[in-house]
Amino acid sequence: MQETLKYIGENKLRFVDELFELLRIPSISADPAYKNDVLKCAELVSSYLKTAGADQVEICETDGYPIVYGEKMISPDLPTVLVYGHYDVQPADPLELWRRPPFEPYIEKTDLHPDGAIFARGSADDKGQFFMHLKAFEAMMQTNSVPCNVKFIIEGEEEIGSVSLGKWVNENKEKLSCDCILISDTHIYSNEQPTVTTGLRGLSYVEVEVEGPNRDLHSGLYGGAVPNPIHVLSRMIAKLIDDDGRILIDGFYDNVDVVSDEERADMNKLKDNPDEFKRSIGLSGVEGEKGYTTLERTSIRPTLDCNGIWGGYTGEGAKTVIPSKASAKISMRLVPYQTPEEITEKFTTYFEKIAPDTVKVKVTPHHGGMPYVLPTDTKEFLAAKTAMETAFGKEVLPYRGGGSIPITAMFEQVLGAKSVLMGFGLDSDAIHSPNEHYGLFNFYKGIESIPLFFENYVK
Ligand code: BES
Ligand code: MN
Ligand code: MN
């Protein structure tokens, strides 16, 4: 191990340069205009995987963007760890809020990253994180210390719901057979208090449309006498959550797992720092479901958020009009044992129920995903905890993340293996936002933790 860590120390500046090459490619999966860049990114990932020492490296075609595969089989008697990551990124807009262009990576110090952070779209989500695995693997290869079989799948559609990967995993069960899945695509609580992510929320995402009159109307001639779809939609949205932060959809909480007082006490050991939380996002106060802490509201409790709302005239100046239609996009984060199908159905029933009969409503479901939990008494959790404790020199606690990686639940179902979420970002790294960044400290701690994970897992 000493030799592997030494190799990492001696090569870490080069690792950053190589990561910059990946970050320069705008591999935005959501926008077809970037198709060639996404494909180019898959090429670069595969060439990096080859140089790191993986065998059977392939760019596997799918109906969507390709999946990069590679492996190192040491012995059939040893366990197999499957490493998962994604090379696609979120769109970079609004561009004007970036201090420098999103695909021209640079390093700058911040309060939370005194050693510097890499700024670029995808630096933390997920290029900077999956790249740690390529470099840790290279270090193990170069020091003859790969302790078990390793497989890699790096996909290009995570940010748009992993549709092709879902299908591909089902068709390639044998190829992907493994004992556990190792993923770095989540966050730690802070650099002072490292954590292993033991849970992710699921997701149900819907778009709603309210239609009133059959055309846009003059607001002077018709105003006051007809249902205005924007008003109707606003009233309906107001009926989704009450003043105590409870979601009012019938049966919404039916299948919510009640987390024991013991586990709640444990998770609240992570010192919730409300002032820093508010400061970091420029708020004077927080809100949420009554009876729960901020930490609980963002992890063990389901939530509902309006993500976008539109309708009527939004251009320059004034136009007096009652629009024919108004729409919104709404996401719901789910916890065990809610399912996206169940919640989308309950949402639809409720939304239709609260609609006045003067309008027509339409609910269109988008992609969803199941929640995921990794118990703390598993070999996977303990190997990650011990690895990170060695790398950080600090006690590591379990922590449930609020975001979603729907493929984790599917891996468990199809491959029968647990995912361990050993991610190293910080919530303040601004993933999906302008000026996304990833701390150099975090990048290096991640690369060091990975060989330690392998060592502990195989032991
Ligand atoms: N890496 C994130 C998820 C994440 C980040 C989980 C930080 C926990 C901590 C992932 O790329 C992501 O953005 N997932 C989406 C869901 C997907 C279906 C689009 C999300 O959580 O919104
Ligand atoms: Mn991600
Ligand atoms: Mn993401």
Side-chain angles (χ1 to χ4, degrees):
M1 185 55 60
Q2 245 21 65
E3 245 193 281
T4 311
L5 297 177
K6 183 164 164 256
Y7 180 92
I8 293 169
E10 286 168 358
N11 289 276
K12 59 191 204 177
L13 295 177
R14 170 173 60 82
F15 295 168
V16 174
D17 286 340
E18 290 173 359
L19 172 59
F20 273 30
E21 291 301 317
L22 266 180
L23 294 171
R24 286 194 181 100
I25 306 175
S27 50
I28 304 169
S29 52
D31 186 345
Y34 293 88
K35 184 170 180 206
N36 286 335
D37 295 295
V38 183
L39 298 174
K40 204 171 109 193
C41 196
E43 293 283 346
L44 185 60
V45 173
S46 85
S47 97
Y48 277 165
L49 199 49
K50 266 181 224 157
T51 352
D55 301 325
Q56 319 291 339
V57 176
E58 304 170 60
I59 297 181
C60 308
E61 298 303 328
T62 70
D63 292 340
Y65 287 122
I67 295 155
V68 182
Y69 178 85
E71 61 178 40
K72 186 80 212 173
M73 302 309 281
I74 306 286
S75 152
D77 301 330
L78 286 167
T80 302
V81 175
L82 174 67
V83 173
Y84 163 84
H86 64 93
Y87 64 82
D88 64 321
V89 301
Q90 283 277 327
D93 54 278
L95 283 177
E96 65 280 10
L97 295 183
W98 286 78
R99 288 190 290 278
R100 293 215 220 158
F103 298 102
E104 293 174 26
Y106 66 98
I107 293 174
E108 202 169 270
K109 290 184 175 137
T110 74
D111 287 351
L112 290 176
H113 296 296
D115 299 341
I118 301 165
F119 282 77
R121 169 58 85 233
S123 54
D125 184 13
D126 179 41
K127 289 173 175 172
Q129 295 218 59
F130 84 70
F131 194 64
M132 302 182 311
H133 288 272
L134 269 48
K135 294 299 107 177
F137 175 67
E138 173 189 316
M140 290 189 284
M141 283 297 292
Q142 293 298 322
T143 54
N144 282 316
S145 58
V146 183
C148 64
N149 306 313
V150 192
K151 295 176 179 175
F152 294 90
I153 44 174
I154 316 292
E155 70 152 320
E157 293 186 340
E158 196 276 343
E159 301 291 7
I160 51 172
S162 301
V163 178
S164 305
L165 180 67
K167 196 166 157 235
W168 192 80
V169 170
N170 262 306
E171 292 162 359
N172 290 277
K173 284 183 215 168
E174 296 296 302
K175 187 188 182 93
L176 300 176
S177 70
C178 61
D179 296 278
C180 79
I181 297 118
L182 179 59
I183 304 176
S184 296
D185 191 23
T186 55
H187 294 164
I188 51 174
Y189 187 68
S190 71
N191 285 349
E192 289 66 48
Q193 176 54 74
T195 47
V196 173
T197 302
T198 50
L200 291 166
R201 290 193 286 190
L203 181 68
S204 162
Y205 200 108
V206 294
E207 189 167 321
V208 298
E209 186 189 84
V210 171
E211 188 181 348
N214 61 2
R215 60 180 168 88
D216 289 3
L217 303 173
H218 188 289
S219 68
L221 299 181
Y222 292 89
V226 297
N228 179 324
I230 298 180
H231 300 190
V232 174
L233 177 59
S234 309
R235 287 200 297 265
M236 289 173 75
I237 290 174
K239 285 184 185 149
L240 294 172
I241 305 182
D242 72 11
D243 290 345
D244 287 337
R246 292 279 295 183
I247 294 159
L248 296 168
I249 297 169
D250 301 309
F252 186 82
Y253 294 97
D254 282 358
N255 297 319
V256 169
D257 183 29
V258 179
V259 176
S260 69
D261 290 345
E262 195 191 337
E263 196 181 330
R264 283 178 71 182
D266 255 7
M267 66 183 288
N268 285 303
K269 270 191 215 152
L270 290 170
K271 43 179 185 328
D272 209 345
N273 184 342
D275 292 333
E276 171 52 26
F277 182 74
K278 285 185 276 185
R279 192 206 55 80
S280 70
I281 45 179
L283 281 179
S284 57
V286 295
E287 62 165 60
E289 190 182 1
K290 208 171 152 189
Y292 294 94
T293 62
T294 293
L295 211 59
E296 292 169 335
R297 288 168 177 169
T298 55
S299 62
I300 58 165
R301 298 299 296 168
T303 53
L304 180 150
D305 277 284
C306 192
N307 295 244
I309 181 162
W310 68 100
Y313 184 68
T314 55
E316 283 295 313
K319 179 187 178 197
T320 49
V321 67
I322 296 169
S324 164
K325 289 177 183 175
S327 301
K329 288 183 195 277
I330 294 169
S331 68
M332 288 160 280
R333 297 283 169 172
L334 317 181
V335 299
Y337 299 96
Q338 295 176 300
T339 71
E341 295 76 22
E342 172 220 347
I343 293 301
T344 301
E345 197 189 310
K346 286 178 173 167
F347 176 91
T348 309
T349 307
Y350 179 76
F351 205 70
E352 284 167 353
K353 183 180 98 178
I354 62 173
D357 51 19
T358 48
V359 298
K360 278 187 258 173
V361 302
K362 197 160 86 194
V363 179
T364 313
H366 282 256
H367 59 70
M370 290 283 283
Y372 179 75
V373 169
L374 174 71
T376 49
D377 57 1
T378 52
K379 200 175 156 190
E380 287 81 7
F381 170 78
L382 294 169
K385 174 179 156 78
T386 314
M388 288 176 69
E389 285 181 341
T390 309
F392 284 81
K394 290 200 165 98
E395 194 199 353
V396 168
L397 296 174
Y399 167 64
R400 291 225 216 157
S404 309
I405 308 178
I407 202 71
T408 49
M410 204 205 147
F411 281 146
E412 180 159 27
Q413 207 180 40
V414 179
L415 304 177
K418 284 278 177 197
S419 293
V420 50
L421 300 148
M422 199 169 74
F424 296 87
L426 300 183
D427 282 354
S428 53
D429 286 346
I431 63 170
H432 296 203
S433 291
N435 306 303
E436 175 179 352
H437 54 282
Y438 188 39
L440 284 171
F441 172 83
N442 302 67
F443 180 61
Y444 297 140
K445 283 294 167 214
I447 301 176
E448 290 166 18
S449 299
I450 294 162
L452 290 161
F453 172 86
F454 278 89
E455 185 185 52
N456 289 314
Y457 186 68
V458 174
K459 227 172 13 202

